[in-house]
Amino acid sequence: MNLDELKKNMSLLDDVLEQKTSDTLTFDRPKCNAAQARISAHYRRTAAICSILSVVFFAAGMGGVNEVIFPNSLKFYLSAILVAAGIWYAFLYHKVGKINVATDTPMCTMRKVAWLRFGTLAGEFILSINFAIFFTLLFSNLWELSHYKVWLMAGALVVAVIYDSTKLLKLIRDFRDLTAAD
């Protein structure tokens, strides 16, 4: 396929996508707006929590608090992870604010929501990898000092994962409601 054929096929595809069908898609605006508000509040809250915790761990690292159990290098690493997460969630908060179900076309709204889902998934995946690295380093350091502290932290981590999975189910429901049709 040469370049002219590709251009012709792309223009044909654009024409097909722009055509309107007799079945117009309309969104349930109250449901979509409520879901958008919940997602926006989630991103705003998460960005604020990450920012505050980042400052706390950075200050603890600068002060050298409890260097034996929790080394300063891990405090700075955790602080950097939290700064990046706070910036990412603030960016997603900005993106969710640009979704307007009332004025955008259904295709544009679906595209924005799909990008937001992908951005959320990518951010959570990268954050999970960094937290896995962090806890691996922390647990290996703690294992040398005290075995029961490792088990206590592992139990707390299991509780946190269970709690986070319930929040994830609510977020999935909100994303589904963000594109709810009449």
Side-chain angles (χ1 to χ4, degrees):
M1 179 182 294
N2 62 22
L3 187 59
D4 292 331
E5 289 177 17
L6 182 63
K7 286 180 184 177
K8 181 181 173 185
N9 289 339
M10 289 301 291
S11 66
L12 180 64
L13 180 63
D14 287 339
D15 292 341
V16 168
L17 289 176
E18 287 179 8
Q19 288 178 357
K20 301 215 186 273
T21 62
S22 61
D23 300 332
T24 59
L25 176 66
T26 57
F27 293 117
D28 184 6
R29 288 186 189 164
K31 194 173 189 179
C32 293
N33 289 336
Q36 184 178 5
R38 286 190 303 267
I39 291 171
S40 180
H42 170 73
Y43 287 152
R44 183 179 57 245
R45 184 176 45 249
T46 305
I49 289 170
C50 287
S51 300
I52 291 169
L53 286 176
S54 172
V55 170
V56 167
F57 283 111
F58 184 77
M62 292 299 289
V65 177
N66 208 355
E67 173 68 29
V68 176
I69 294 176
F70 194 5
N72 285 340
S73 59
L74 290 179
K75 291 175 192 162
F76 293 134
Y77 179 67
L78 183 60
S79 180
I81 292 171
L82 291 171
V83 163
I87 290 170
W88 183 249
Y89 281 115
F91 175 71
L92 290 176
Y93 171 73
H94 176 70
K95 283 292 196 183
V96 79
K98 289 188 172 192
I99 296 173
N100 191 349
V101 177
T103 60
D104 289 342
T105 63
M107 190 67 163
C108 183
T109 302
M110 297 291 268
R111 184 180 40 123
K112 287 179 181 179
V113 171
W115 190 96
L116 194 63
R117 285 178 178 159
F118 175 74
T120 302
L121 185 63
E124 292 290 331
F125 182 71
I126 292 170
L127 191 62
S128 297
I129 289 172
N130 279 303
F131 276 134
I133 293 169
F134 169 75
F135 280 112
T136 301
L137 294 172
L138 182 63
F139 284 168
S140 65
N141 185 49
L142 274 178
W143 190 258
E144 295 173 7
L145 299 173
S146 176
H147 297 300
Y148 79 92
K149 290 180 182 177
V150 171
W151 293 114
L152 285 174
M153 284 188 74
L157 193 59
V158 167
V159 170
V161 167
I162 292 170
Y163 174 74
D164 197 37
S165 62
T166 61
K167 297 296 268 184
L168 180 65
L169 292 174
K170 290 179 182 177
L171 189 63
I172 290 170
R173 182 202 65 209
D174 289 339
F175 271 118
R176 193 175 311 121
D177 289 347
L178 191 57
T179 55
D182 281 334

